[in-house]
Amino acid sequence: MGLGFTIGFIGVLILFHAAYSTIQYRTLLKITEEEFSGSPLIVVIELTLGLLLCTWAALNVPGKFLCILPDSDENRIVSLPGNLDFMIFNHRGKIFPVEMNERLRH
Amino acid sequence: MAGHSGSGSSEKKSSNGVNELLTFNAENMQSNMKTIYYSRTFLSIIGGVVAGILGFTGLKGFIFYVLLMAFTSVGLIAKAKFSIHTYFDSWNRVLIDGFLGGLMSFVLFWTFAYDIAHIF
């Protein structure tokens, strides 16, 4: 995700640079008193590049798609939450000797 | 056993005519919808800035927006690796969902960028 943010940031910087170039181009047109017919080609290329980078960032930063099928591997339904109604403590396990030194293993 | 369905992965039945799944994991479905929403909103904003810098006015800008959203849809379908039914329950969600919501952000940033680049 850090890479996505970096690419998006670079895309936005390229867009700002293109905006600055366009402002300079407009002031040049005002000096020579011509009409604005279209942006210069280099600005169009810059904007396309910035748009592509931002598109890549927009598709990768918000996170992956999660599978919605109920029978896929990562959707194993473990349905009972930590609900005290279903926890039974009065069982035969109380016969086992208590291990005081045993560490919690995950 | 049927009593408590936890706040975790809840299932939901939906049986409209469009989708083929009878039950799916609704929480992941919501998360996927949020992802699409973020992607479309961000690209609407960026598209608005680009349209303003390029100096589009009137209908050209809206056509640019439609093209941009079509491009986004293709990108989202490619991100879902072309198997939509693994991640969503109908095609409409991927193709149509964030369309109008992004339009307002697009117009806002379009006028904003146009003013900055061309008027001031």
PDB file of all heavy atoms in Angstrom, chain B residues 26-48:
ATOM      1  N   ALA B  26     -21.943 -11.532   3.327  1.00  0.00           N
ATOM      2  CA  ALA B  26     -22.350 -10.142   3.120  1.00  0.00           C
ATOM      3  C   ALA B  26     -21.288  -9.158   3.575  1.00  0.00           C
ATOM      4  O   ALA B  26     -21.189  -8.061   3.039  1.00  0.00           O
ATOM      5  CB  ALA B  26     -23.657  -9.871   3.853  1.00  0.00           C
ATOM      6  N   GLU B  27     -20.493  -9.556   4.566  1.00  0.00           N
ATOM      7  CA  GLU B  27     -19.509  -8.605   5.077  1.00  0.00           C
ATOM      8  C   GLU B  27     -18.427  -8.343   4.033  1.00  0.00           C
ATOM      9  O   GLU B  27     -18.038  -7.192   3.804  1.00  0.00           O
ATOM     10  CB  GLU B  27     -18.906  -9.203   6.347  1.00  0.00           C
ATOM     11  CG  GLU B  27     -17.838  -8.367   6.959  1.00  0.00           C
ATOM     12  CD  GLU B  27     -17.155  -9.122   8.068  1.00  0.00           C
ATOM     13  OE1 GLU B  27     -17.718 -10.155   8.495  1.00  0.00           O
ATOM     14  OE2 GLU B  27     -16.082  -8.711   8.490  1.00  0.00           O
ATOM     15  N   ASN B  28     -17.990  -9.398   3.358  1.00  0.00           N
ATOM     16  CA  ASN B  28     -17.002  -9.203   2.297  1.00  0.00           C
ATOM     17  C   ASN B  28     -17.602  -8.452   1.130  1.00  0.00           C
ATOM     18  O   ASN B  28     -16.918  -7.663   0.469  1.00  0.00           O
ATOM     19  CB  ASN B  28     -16.497 -10.568   1.814  1.00  0.00           C
ATOM     20  CG  ASN B  28     -15.560 -11.185   2.806  1.00  0.00           C
ATOM     21  OD1 ASN B  28     -15.194 -10.542   3.773  1.00  0.00           O
ATOM     22  ND2 ASN B  28     -15.178 -12.411   2.579  1.00  0.00           N
ATOM     23  N   MET B  29     -18.862  -8.680   0.886  1.00  0.00           N
ATOM     24  CA  MET B  29     -19.545  -7.964  -0.182  1.00  0.00           C
ATOM     25  C   MET B  29     -19.545  -6.465   0.098  1.00  0.00           C
ATOM     26  O   MET B  29     -19.251  -5.648  -0.776  1.00  0.00           O
ATOM     27  CB  MET B  29     -20.969  -8.487  -0.255  1.00  0.00           C
ATOM     28  CG  MET B  29     -21.838  -7.792  -1.214  1.00  0.00           C
ATOM     29  SD  MET B  29     -21.458  -8.331  -2.839  1.00  0.00           S
ATOM     30  CE  MET B  29     -22.436  -7.195  -3.712  1.00  0.00           C
ATOM     31  N   GLN B  30     -19.841  -6.098   1.336  1.00  0.00           N
ATOM     32  CA  GLN B  30     -19.808  -4.689   1.738  1.00  0.00           C
ATOM     33  C   GLN B  30     -18.423  -4.103   1.571  1.00  0.00           C
ATOM     34  O   GLN B  30     -18.267  -2.966   1.115  1.00  0.00           O
ATOM     35  CB  GLN B  30     -20.185  -4.580   3.213  1.00  0.00           C
ATOM     36  CG  GLN B  30     -21.619  -4.800   3.507  1.00  0.00           C
ATOM     37  CD  GLN B  30     -22.332  -3.497   3.651  1.00  0.00           C
ATOM     38  OE1 GLN B  30     -21.674  -2.476   3.825  1.00  0.00           O
ATOM     39  NE2 GLN B  30     -23.617  -3.519   3.560  1.00  0.00           N
ATOM     40  N   SER B  31     -17.420  -4.881   1.965  1.00  0.00           N
ATOM     41  CA  SER B  31     -16.058  -4.384   1.848  1.00  0.00           C
ATOM     42  C   SER B  31     -15.688  -4.162   0.399  1.00  0.00           C
ATOM     43  O   SER B  31     -15.045  -3.160   0.056  1.00  0.00           O
ATOM     44  CB  SER B  31     -15.121  -5.395   2.510  1.00  0.00           C
ATOM     45  OG  SER B  31     -13.856  -5.268   1.987  1.00  0.00           O
ATOM     46  N   ASN B  32     -16.127  -5.052  -0.480  1.00  0.00           N
ATOM     47  CA  ASN B  32     -15.853  -4.859  -1.903  1.00  0.00           C
ATOM     48  C   ASN B  32     -16.560  -3.631  -2.443  1.00  0.00           C
ATOM     49  O   ASN B  32     -16.021  -2.894  -3.274  1.00  0.00           O
ATOM     50  CB  ASN B  32     -16.308  -6.089  -2.691  1.00  0.00           C
ATOM     51  CG  ASN B  32     -15.481  -7.299  -2.366  1.00  0.00           C
ATOM     52  OD1 ASN B  32     -14.440  -7.178  -1.752  1.00  0.00           O
ATOM     53  ND2 ASN B  32     -15.949  -8.463  -2.764  1.00  0.00           N
ATOM     54  N   MET B  33     -17.788  -3.392  -1.972  1.00  0.00           N
ATOM     55  CA  MET B  33     -18.506  -2.205  -2.445  1.00  0.00           C
ATOM     56  C   MET B  33     -17.796  -0.930  -1.996  1.00  0.00           C
ATOM     57  O   MET B  33     -17.715   0.048  -2.736  1.00  0.00           O
ATOM     58  CB  MET B  33     -19.937  -2.178  -1.891  1.00  0.00           C
ATOM     59  CG  MET B  33     -20.770  -3.338  -2.301  1.00  0.00           C
ATOM     60  SD  MET B  33     -20.891  -3.449  -4.051  1.00  0.00           S
ATOM     61  CE  MET B  33     -21.788  -1.990  -4.357  1.00  0.00           C
ATOM     62  N   LYS B  34     -17.266  -0.938  -0.779  1.00  0.00           N
ATOM     63  CA  LYS B  34     -16.531   0.233  -0.305  1.00  0.00           C
ATOM     64  C   LYS B  34     -15.295   0.476  -1.147  1.00  0.00           C
ATOM     65  O   LYS B  34     -14.959   1.621  -1.463  1.00  0.00           O
ATOM     66  CB  LYS B  34     -16.114   0.027   1.158  1.00  0.00           C
ATOM     67  CG  LYS B  34     -17.042   0.705   2.112  1.00  0.00           C
ATOM     68  CD  LYS B  34     -16.607   0.739   3.547  1.00  0.00           C
ATOM     69  CE  LYS B  34     -15.347   0.082   3.930  1.00  0.00           C
ATOM     70  NZ  LYS B  34     -15.080   0.185   5.366  1.00  0.00           N
ATOM     71  N   THR B  35     -14.619  -0.605  -1.519  1.00  0.00           N
ATOM     72  CA  THR B  35     -13.419  -0.473  -2.338  1.00  0.00           C
ATOM     73  C   THR B  35     -13.758   0.171  -3.675  1.00  0.00           C
ATOM     74  O   THR B  35     -13.060   1.088  -4.127  1.00  0.00           O
ATOM     75  CB  THR B  35     -12.810  -1.858  -2.578  1.00  0.00           C
ATOM     76  OG1 THR B  35     -12.582  -2.466  -1.320  1.00  0.00           O
ATOM     77  CG2 THR B  35     -11.536  -1.768  -3.344  1.00  0.00           C
ATOM     78  N   ILE B  36     -14.833  -0.300  -4.304  1.00  0.00           N
ATOM     79  CA  ILE B  36     -15.237   0.284  -5.589  1.00  0.00           C
ATOM     80  C   ILE B  36     -15.570   1.752  -5.410  1.00  0.00           C
ATOM     81  O   ILE B  36     -15.210   2.608  -6.223  1.00  0.00           O
ATOM     82  CB  ILE B  36     -16.476  -0.422  -6.163  1.00  0.00           C
ATOM     83  CG1 ILE B  36     -16.192  -1.838  -6.481  1.00  0.00           C
ATOM     84  CG2 ILE B  36     -16.903   0.256  -7.414  1.00  0.00           C
ATOM     85  CD1 ILE B  36     -17.395  -2.454  -7.119  1.00  0.00           C
ATOM     86  N   TYR B  37     -16.246   2.072  -4.314  1.00  0.00           N
ATOM     87  CA  TYR B  37     -16.657   3.461  -4.095  1.00  0.00           C
ATOM     88  C   TYR B  37     -15.441   4.366  -3.960  1.00  0.00           C
ATOM     89  O   TYR B  37     -15.393   5.448  -4.544  1.00  0.00           O
ATOM     90  CB  TYR B  37     -17.531   3.517  -2.843  1.00  0.00           C
ATOM     91  CG  TYR B  37     -17.961   4.895  -2.466  1.00  0.00           C
ATOM     92  CD1 TYR B  37     -18.917   5.547  -3.217  1.00  0.00           C
ATOM     93  CD2 TYR B  37     -17.421   5.536  -1.378  1.00  0.00           C
ATOM     94  CE1 TYR B  37     -19.313   6.825  -2.881  1.00  0.00           C
ATOM     95  CE2 TYR B  37     -17.816   6.798  -1.046  1.00  0.00           C
ATOM     96  CZ  TYR B  37     -18.765   7.447  -1.794  1.00  0.00           C
ATOM     97  OH  TYR B  37     -19.153   8.707  -1.465  1.00  0.00           O
ATOM     98  N   TYR B  38     -14.452   3.929  -3.187  1.00  0.00           N
ATOM     99  CA  TYR B  38     -13.249   4.752  -3.024  1.00  0.00           C
ATOM    100  C   TYR B  38     -12.544   4.940  -4.357  1.00  0.00           C
ATOM    101  O   TYR B  38     -12.120   6.043  -4.707  1.00  0.00           O
ATOM    102  CB  TYR B  38     -12.267   4.098  -2.049  1.00  0.00           C
ATOM    103  CG  TYR B  38     -12.690   4.118  -0.616  1.00  0.00           C
ATOM    104  CD1 TYR B  38     -12.186   3.175   0.268  1.00  0.00           C
ATOM    105  CD2 TYR B  38     -13.572   5.069  -0.129  1.00  0.00           C
ATOM    106  CE1 TYR B  38     -12.557   3.184   1.585  1.00  0.00           C
ATOM    107  CE2 TYR B  38     -13.938   5.071   1.186  1.00  0.00           C
ATOM    108  CZ  TYR B  38     -13.436   4.133   2.040  1.00  0.00           C
ATOM    109  OH  TYR B  38     -13.803   4.130   3.351  1.00  0.00           O
ATOM    110  N   SER B  39     -12.412   3.836  -5.117  1.00  0.00           N
ATOM    111  CA  SER B  39     -11.720   3.936  -6.403  1.00  0.00           C
ATOM    112  C   SER B  39     -12.421   4.916  -7.323  1.00  0.00           C
ATOM    113  O   SER B  39     -11.788   5.787  -7.919  1.00  0.00           O
ATOM    114  CB  SER B  39     -11.672   2.570  -7.083  1.00  0.00           C
ATOM    115  OG  SER B  39     -10.888   1.694  -6.351  1.00  0.00           O
ATOM    116  N   ARG B  40     -13.748   4.773  -7.426  1.00  0.00           N
ATOM    117  CA  ARG B  40     -14.462   5.646  -8.357  1.00  0.00           C
ATOM    118  C   ARG B  40     -14.414   7.095  -7.921  1.00  0.00           C
ATOM    119  O   ARG B  40     -14.277   8.001  -8.755  1.00  0.00           O
ATOM    120  CB  ARG B  40     -15.921   5.219  -8.457  1.00  0.00           C
ATOM    121  CG  ARG B  40     -16.142   4.097  -9.387  1.00  0.00           C
ATOM    122  CD  ARG B  40     -17.593   4.056  -9.777  1.00  0.00           C
ATOM    123  NE  ARG B  40     -17.918   2.787 -10.369  1.00  0.00           N
ATOM    124  CZ  ARG B  40     -17.785   2.533 -11.650  1.00  0.00           C
ATOM    125  NH1 ARG B  40     -17.339   3.442 -12.454  1.00  0.00           N
ATOM    126  NH2 ARG B  40     -18.097   1.364 -12.109  1.00  0.00           N
ATOM    127  N   THR B  41     -14.533   7.356  -6.629  1.00  0.00           N
ATOM    128  CA  THR B  41     -14.529   8.750  -6.170  1.00  0.00           C
ATOM    129  C   THR B  41     -13.181   9.395  -6.436  1.00  0.00           C
ATOM    130  O   THR B  41     -13.113  10.521  -6.948  1.00  0.00           O
ATOM    131  CB  THR B  41     -14.842   8.796  -4.673  1.00  0.00           C
ATOM    132  OG1 THR B  41     -16.005   8.049  -4.419  1.00  0.00           O
ATOM    133  CG2 THR B  41     -15.041  10.213  -4.219  1.00  0.00           C
ATOM    134  N   PHE B  42     -12.100   8.665  -6.119  1.00  0.00           N
ATOM    135  CA  PHE B  42     -10.776   9.239  -6.348  1.00  0.00           C
ATOM    136  C   PHE B  42     -10.563   9.507  -7.825  1.00  0.00           C
ATOM    137  O   PHE B  42     -10.054  10.552  -8.223  1.00  0.00           O
ATOM    138  CB  PHE B  42      -9.713   8.275  -5.815  1.00  0.00           C
ATOM    139  CG  PHE B  42      -8.322   8.759  -6.009  1.00  0.00           C
ATOM    140  CD1 PHE B  42      -7.885   9.894  -5.371  1.00  0.00           C
ATOM    141  CD2 PHE B  42      -7.441   8.081  -6.822  1.00  0.00           C
ATOM    142  CE1 PHE B  42      -6.606  10.352  -5.540  1.00  0.00           C
ATOM    143  CE2 PHE B  42      -6.161   8.532  -6.996  1.00  0.00           C
ATOM    144  CZ  PHE B  42      -5.741   9.672  -6.358  1.00  0.00           C
ATOM    145  N   LEU B  43     -10.966   8.580  -8.682  1.00  0.00           N
ATOM    146  CA  LEU B  43     -10.762   8.791 -10.106  1.00  0.00           C
ATOM    147  C   LEU B  43     -11.671   9.882 -10.653  1.00  0.00           C
ATOM    148  O   LEU B  43     -11.288  10.562 -11.610  1.00  0.00           O
ATOM    149  CB  LEU B  43     -10.983   7.492 -10.868  1.00  0.00           C
ATOM    150  CG  LEU B  43      -9.710   6.688 -10.925  1.00  0.00           C
ATOM    151  CD1 LEU B  43      -9.931   5.426 -11.673  1.00  0.00           C
ATOM    152  CD2 LEU B  43      -8.636   7.478 -11.607  1.00  0.00           C
ATOM    153  N   SER B  44     -12.852  10.078 -10.072  1.00  0.00           N
ATOM    154  CA  SER B  44     -13.691  11.200 -10.504  1.00  0.00           C
ATOM    155  C   SER B  44     -13.001  12.520 -10.217  1.00  0.00           C
ATOM    156  O   SER B  44     -13.005  13.429 -11.050  1.00  0.00           O
ATOM    157  CB  SER B  44     -15.033  11.185  -9.788  1.00  0.00           C
ATOM    158  OG  SER B  44     -15.730  10.026 -10.051  1.00  0.00           O
ATOM    159  N   ILE B  45     -12.383  12.611  -9.031  1.00  0.00           N
ATOM    160  CA  ILE B  45     -11.707  13.853  -8.675  1.00  0.00           C
ATOM    161  C   ILE B  45     -10.534  14.105  -9.620  1.00  0.00           C
ATOM    162  O   ILE B  45     -10.376  15.205 -10.164  1.00  0.00           O
ATOM    163  CB  ILE B  45     -11.255  13.801  -7.210  1.00  0.00           C
ATOM    164  CG1 ILE B  45     -12.479  13.795  -6.305  1.00  0.00           C
ATOM    165  CG2 ILE B  45     -10.345  14.939  -6.882  1.00  0.00           C
ATOM    166  CD1 ILE B  45     -12.151  13.646  -4.857  1.00  0.00           C
ATOM    167  N   ILE B  46      -9.716  13.065  -9.823  1.00  0.00           N
ATOM    168  CA  ILE B  46      -8.562  13.234 -10.703  1.00  0.00           C
ATOM    169  C   ILE B  46      -9.018  13.559 -12.124  1.00  0.00           C
ATOM    170  O   ILE B  46      -8.443  14.422 -12.798  1.00  0.00           O
ATOM    171  CB  ILE B  46      -7.699  11.956 -10.691  1.00  0.00           C
ATOM    172  CG1 ILE B  46      -7.155  11.717  -9.298  1.00  0.00           C
ATOM    173  CG2 ILE B  46      -6.587  12.045 -11.686  1.00  0.00           C
ATOM    174  CD1 ILE B  46      -6.123  12.705  -8.896  1.00  0.00           C
ATOM    175  N   GLY B  47     -10.069  12.898 -12.576  1.00  0.00           N
ATOM    176  CA  GLY B  47     -10.602  13.176 -13.910  1.00  0.00           C
ATOM    177  C   GLY B  47     -11.116  14.590 -14.026  1.00  0.00           C
ATOM    178  O   GLY B  47     -10.969  15.234 -15.065  1.00  0.00           O
ATOM    179  N   GLY B  48     -11.719  15.108 -12.947  1.00  0.00           N
ATOM    180  CA  GLY B  48     -12.181  16.490 -12.965  1.00  0.00           C
ATOM    181  C   GLY B  48     -11.025  17.456 -13.118  1.00  0.00           C
ATOM    182  O   GLY B  48     -11.096  18.418 -13.892  1.00  0.00           O
TER     183      GLY B  48
END
